[in-house]
Amino acid sequence: MDFPEYRQAVIHLSWFRDGQVRHLLFGMVELRPNELPETKSCCFPKAFRVGNKGSKYLYYRRFALPVADAIEWYKNAAGGKLVLPRDPKHKTPGDGKKLQGSKFVQEPLWPHFVSSNELVFAPEWMQGSRTHFLFPENVLSSEVRETIGIDKNRTMLEDWLNFDIVEDYPEYLGAICLVAPNPLFRSIKKSHFEQAREGAAETVAYKLVARQEQRLNGLRLEIVNERLRGRMMPLVHEFDDDAIVILDFPAEIYKEGRSITHPEYGLMGWSNPCNIVRKFLITTNSQRRLKRVQVPADGNKPEYEYEVDEVEDAGDFIIGDKSEDAIDSRLNQAKNRRSRRKAANDYDQQWFHREPSEAAQYIRQKIGNARDTVLIVDPYFAGRELLAFGHAIRRPEVQLQILTSVQGLKEMSRGDPTCSGSQLMAFLNKTFKTYPKKPEIRILTGKQSPVHDRFLIVDNIVWLSGNSLNTIGERAGMIIKLPDPEPVIELLHGFWCQAPTLPDWLANRPASVEPQKGISGWINRLKACILRR
C-alpha cells in the first residue's frame, strides 16, 4: 500500500528495559503530509532510571524514517517481528534489538482504516485522522504494570507521551497505532449568513482549507440537521476546484453533524450532531464585603476561622438571539426530565421511608445476584443482620465478607462489645456450617469506627446507603449505586486488610471493659454475664 501524499514518517516509541529485556509500552507511527517540513530523529532516547540500583529504565525515542520504512516496520510488528527501528541517519546502540510484546489484534484489518476523533495521544490537528490500531492480546505482566504505576514513573511517561497511559487510558498499554492525518485539507470553516437567502430558513457557507498543492476534486460533504424529534434529509455537495459551498437549509439548524468522504481515501472527517450556539447568558456580580466566621472549639476540636466573599448580583445579559420558541422549550424540558429519570435509574437511586421490609428485600436481592464476592461494610452490623442478610447468598461459591466495628458492637450490647461479637461468632458457626465458603468477618477497631458510611459491594458494583442495615427503611434514607466504584473498592480494601478477623479479635480482646456507673451499668454487666453463659 502506497502513501504518496506523505513526505515522512515519525515513529514514537516508549519501552521499559529490565536488564536485557525491553518491554513495549506504547508506539505511534505518524505519517506527515507533504506540506510539512521534514523533522529529525532523537539521536539518543530519553531515559529514566527506575529505582536506585539495577538496570531498569524507562525510555522514549522519536525515529524519523522514510514512509516506506515506517510502514514496513509497522507491518512487521503486526506479524510478530517487533524490534526497535533502525534510523539510517542516526545509528544508536540498541537499534534493531527485540522488543518484548504480545501478539497483536488488528483494528480494523489492514489495510482498512477508521477515522477517529479520540486520539488522546495525538495533537489536536490530528483529530479526525485515518487510524489503524494494533492492540495486544495479552496485557503487560503485573511486575511491569506495578513498576510504571509508581507515581514518579507514571508522571515521566505522561510527560513523554502527553497522556496518562497508566490510569486514564490503560487500553493503550503495549499497543501501537498508525495515524495518517488528512493529506488533502487542513480544516473546514463555516459562516452563518445573517439573513437567509430567499426560500431558506438558514444559509451557511462552508470552506475547505486545502493543503499546499492539493486539489479537492471528489470530496463529498454531507451535512445533517438534527431536530428535537429526528433528523432531516442531509444536504450533500461534491467539491470541484471551488473550495467554498453555500447551502440553504429548509429549517433552522438545531444540531449540526457532518462527514467528508473521498472515493479513494474513504472517510476523511466527521462530527456528531452538536448544538448550534445562538445566544450567551452572562451573569455578573460584584463583591459586597468580606465576611469572617469564627468556629469555636469543641472538645478535642480546635477553633478556627474561615472567610466568605459576599457578592451582590449585578444583573443578567443575553448576547445573541433573545427569542425563545415555546415549543422547543417545552420539548427540551420534557427531554431533560426523561434524562434525569434515566440517570436515576442507571444509578439505581432508591428512597426508603417507613418501609423496612421492602428495603431489606431490596438488599437481599442484590446479595442474591452475586456470582463471585459480596462485601458488606457497616459499622453496626451484628448477629441479627448476619441472619437477616448473610443467608441471602444464592450461589454456594460466592464469598461473603463483612466489615463491622467495635463501636457498633459496643452500642449493640450497651457497653460490652464482646457480647455482640460472641453472639455474631455463634450465629456464624451455627447457621453457616453447611456452606462451602464460610463468611469472613473483620472488625474495625478503635473508639470510633474509621468508616462512617455503609457500603454494599457485589461483584465490583458498589451501593452507598445512608442507613445501617439494622435500621434500613425505618427512617428516610437513600441507597444509590456509585458511578465510579473502583477507587472506593480500593480504599475499602485497605480498611479490610488492616482489620483483624472476628476470631482473632475475640481471642485478643481486653480482659476487662470499662464499667458503666450506676444501676444501669450493673444491670448491663449482669446481662453480659448471662449472655456469655
Side-chain angles (χ1 to χ4, degrees):
M1 184 177 183
D2 297 327
F3 293 86
E5 306 81 9
Y6 300 94
R7 176 193 301 269
Q8 186 188 36
V10 177
I11 300 178
H12 306 261
L13 275 183
S14 179
W15 66 95
F16 167 62
R17 181 168 69 87
D18 184 359
Q20 297 302 314
V21 181
R22 296 167 176 83
H23 301 269
L24 172 69
L25 298 181
F26 177 72
M28 179 179 76
V29 180
E30 168 197 348
L31 303 187
R32 295 173 62 81
N34 285 331
E35 72 172 4
L36 298 181
E38 288 195 356
T39 186
K40 295 181 180 180
S41 300
C42 297
C43 296
F44 294 95
K46 296 180 180 179
F48 183 75
R49 186 169 186 172
V50 176
N52 298 323
K53 57 182 180 179
S55 55
K56 296 183 179 181
Y57 289 86
L58 295 174
Y59 290 97
Y60 168 81
R61 188 179 174 191
R62 190 179 70 236
F63 301 83
L65 301 174
V67 173
D69 292 351
I71 296 297
E72 182 182 7
W73 178 87
Y74 184 78
K75 293 168 67 174
N76 286 337
K81 186 180 178 181
L82 183 59
V83 298
L84 288 173
R86 295 182 183 273
D87 185 344
K89 296 182 180 179
H90 299 281
K91 296 182 179 180
T92 306
D95 289 0
K97 294 290 186 180
K98 181 180 178 180
L99 278 175
Q100 189 74 31
S102 169
K103 182 180 178 181
F104 290 110
V105 175
Q106 299 182 25
E107 173 52 36
L109 288 177
W110 183 266
H112 302 286
F113 288 80
V114 294
S115 178
S116 177
N117 292 327
E118 300 178 358
L119 303 178
V120 298
F121 42 79
E124 182 64 29
W125 69 273
M126 287 189 185
Q127 297 303 315
S129 297
R130 293 174 297 155
T131 311
H132 188 270
F133 297 91
L134 298 178
F135 287 109
E137 277 191 353
N138 302 312
V139 297
L140 294 172
S141 68
S142 58
E143 180 183 357
V144 175
R145 284 186 282 114
E146 289 174 4
T147 299
I148 64 176
I150 298 172
D151 286 344
K152 61 179 181 179
N153 301 335
R154 173 185 169 188
T155 301
M156 183 57 64
L157 284 174
E158 186 171 358
D159 289 343
W160 289 343
L161 302 176
N162 296 312
F163 75 105
D164 182 1
I165 196 173
V166 177
E167 290 292 337
D168 292 345
Y169 298 95
E171 64 269 31
Y172 291 116
L173 279 172
I176 310 175
C177 66
L178 188 149
V179 181
N182 190 324
L184 302 180
F185 62 93
R186 302 172 195 160
S187 62
I188 180 169
K189 299 182 182 295
K190 68 175 183 176
S191 176
H192 289 251
F193 282 40
E194 290 188 10
Q195 296 292 331
R197 297 195 298 193
E198 184 177 355
E202 189 161 6
T203 301
V204 183
Y206 296 88
K207 178 183 178 181
L208 292 183
V209 181
R211 296 193 185 276
Q212 293 178 7
E213 302 179 359
Q214 293 295 338
R215 302 184 63 186
L216 304 177
N217 301 62
L219 284 171
R220 184 176 186 270
L221 173 67
E222 182 174 305
I223 304 294
V224 170
N225 181 7
E226 184 175 287
R227 303 288 293 174
L228 286 170
R229 284 297 177 269
R231 294 184 178 183
M232 301 187 68
M233 174 74 75
L235 301 184
V236 178
H237 174 78
E238 291 191 3
F239 287 89
D240 46 29
D241 291 331
D242 192 351
I244 300 176
V245 58
I246 299 176
L247 299 179
D248 294 320
F249 290 82
E252 188 178 71
I253 304 173
Y254 186 72
K255 287 185 176 181
E256 181 202 65
R258 61 174 178 255
S259 64
I260 305 178
T261 56
H262 188 273
E264 180 181 352
Y265 303 126
L267 184 62
M268 303 297 292
W270 61 275
S271 65
N272 286 323
C274 58
N275 290 87
I276 301 295
V277 179
R278 302 185 185 276
K279 64 181 178 181
F280 296 91
L281 174 63
I282 300 176
T283 300
T284 60
N285 54 60
S286 58
Q287 184 173 338
R288 186 168 174 266
R289 65 166 182 159
L290 183 64
K291 179 173 63 178
R292 289 186 174 86
V293 182
Q294 295 281 346
V295 180
D298 181 15
N300 295 327
K301 299 178 181 178
E303 66 176 36
Y304 64 93
E305 178 184 286
Y306 66 93
E307 296 179 346
V308 177
D309 288 325
E310 286 191 351
V311 297
E312 184 174 6
D313 290 337
D316 295 338
F317 302 91
I318 296 178
I319 299 176
D321 185 3
K322 297 184 180 181
S323 63
E324 184 176 3
D325 189 302
I327 298 298
D328 285 355
S329 177
R330 191 166 72 239
L331 293 176
N332 266 321
Q333 289 176 7
K335 183 178 180 180
N336 293 336
R337 185 168 58 251
R338 286 192 297 273
S339 296
R340 291 192 297 269
R341 288 177 178 174
K342 182 180 183 303
N345 184 64
D346 291 342
Y347 295 143
D348 202 4
Q349 179 177 309
Q350 303 291 331
W351 174 269
F352 293 107
H353 183 207
R354 297 175 181 172
E355 300 172 321
S357 59
E358 289 84 350
Q361 182 57 33
Y362 171 85
I363 297 295
R364 283 192 286 265
Q365 180 186 10
K366 300 301 179 187
I367 295 174
N369 291 335
R371 293 180 175 275
D372 185 22
T373 59
V374 174
L375 171 60
I376 299 173
V377 180
D378 186 341
Y380 292 88
F381 194 99
R384 188 175 186 274
E385 288 67 57
L386 181 63
L387 298 179
F389 301 102
H391 289 279
I393 296 287
R394 298 170 59 196
R395 293 176 173 83
E397 66 273 13
V398 171
Q399 177 64 63
L400 173 61
Q401 299 173 321
I402 296 165
L403 187 59
T404 184
S405 74
V406 173
Q407 178 189 6
L409 295 176
K410 183 176 181 180
E411 293 188 19
M412 291 292 183
S413 60
R414 297 186 180 182
D416 188 355
T418 57
C419 290
S420 294
S422 299
Q423 183 190 54
L424 183 58
M425 191 70 188
F427 284 149
L428 178 67
N429 292 331
K430 182 177 180 181
T431 66
F432 285 89
K433 286 191 298 185
T434 60
Y435 278 61
K437 288 188 176 181
K438 196 172 183 180
E440 184 177 358
I441 302 175
R442 297 198 175 197
I443 310 296
L444 294 166
T445 57
K447 187 177 180 180
Q448 286 188 324
S449 170
V451 179
H452 176 272
D453 292 339
R454 292 81 176 178
F455 298 91
L456 172 64
I457 300 95
V458 178
D459 297 339
N460 296 322
I461 301 175
V462 180
W463 285 267
L464 171 66
S465 172
N467 285 328
S468 289
L469 296 188
N470 64 343
T471 59
I472 193 166
E474 295 178 6
R475 295 184 295 169
M478 178 69 71
I479 300 175
I480 191 167
K481 184 168 64 176
L482 300 186
D484 186 16
E486 288 187 8
V488 177
I489 292 174
E490 184 177 349
L491 292 170
L492 292 176
H493 180 70
F495 286 107
W496 172 265
C497 292
Q498 295 175 8
T501 65
L502 176 60
D504 288 344
W505 177 77
L506 286 172
N508 297 290
R509 65 189 185 276
S512 61
V513 179
E514 182 180 347
Q516 292 178 301
K517 297 180 179 180
I519 190 166
S520 60
W522 180 85
I523 294 174
N524 286 329
R525 289 194 296 275
L526 179 61
K527 289 181 178 179
C529 292
I530 295 173
L531 285 172
R532 288 194 190 101
R533 296 177 182 177

